[in-house]
Amino acid sequence: MDERRSPKVLSLTWGEIEIEGVGRVKDAALHPGGGGAWDWNVTGTRHSPGIQPADVEPLLAAGATSVVLSRGQQLVLQVMPETEAYLTERGVDVHIAETREAVRVYNLLADAGVRVAALLHSTC
């Protein structure tokens, strides 16, 4: 995959996200040039307090200028205020939404050639 292009989300169902050039995963971490499964255990993420700054650092390291954070299909996953502040302070465009809406926004930005990244939670 072109290292400047963000992979498209091809489909989303409960518990599964299909990503262009990656395949199927439960939760996804996507960025310009690729992505893969998002393993919450790496940073100790839980539904509450939610997505933390350490979760988004690799997205910025991959050159993302816009980040989409999904809260799950039932909005159970939280986003720490520190995470949103961390991104905003670095001039990153931040979108936080329910997962289906997050995928829609992410794909629109990817289609527009934006260096977009995303953390997508496929279930609750």
Side-chain angles (χ1 to χ4, degrees):
M1 168 163 282
D2 180 341
E3 68 183 51
R4 297 166 303 234
R5 196 168 138 294
S6 299
K8 295 272 305 268
V9 175
L10 303 175
S11 67
L12 168 69
T13 59
W14 187 268
E16 184 177 274
I17 304 166
E18 184 178 3
I19 304 150
E20 170 188 37
V22 173
R24 291 177 168 87
V25 296
K26 179 182 178 218
D27 296 321
L30 307 176
H31 53 77
W38 175 24
D39 181 356
W40 293 22
N41 292 316
V42 170
T43 59
T45 296
R46 298 292 173 257
H47 287 106
S48 182
I51 299 171
Q52 52 195 309
D55 291 313
V56 299
E57 286 174 356
L59 308 180
L60 301 185
T65 59
S66 184
V67 172
V68 178
L69 303 175
S70 82
R71 296 212 31 232
Q73 293 192 53
Q74 296 176 338
L75 300 171
V76 174
L77 178 60
Q78 302 299 306
V79 177
M80 294 177 69
E82 296 88 347
T83 303
E84 190 171 1
Y86 176 84
L87 292 167
T88 302
E89 288 165 6
R90 284 157 181 77
V92 175
D93 188 25
V94 182
H95 304 270
I96 300 171
E98 178 274 330
T99 301
R100 289 167 293 225
E101 176 64 7
V103 166
R104 186 188 73 76
V105 169
Y106 171 84
N107 278 341
L108 283 172
L109 292 169
D111 281 343
V114 173
R115 294 183 59 81
V116 62
L119 293 176
L120 304 172
H121 181 42
S122 70
T123 58
C124 55

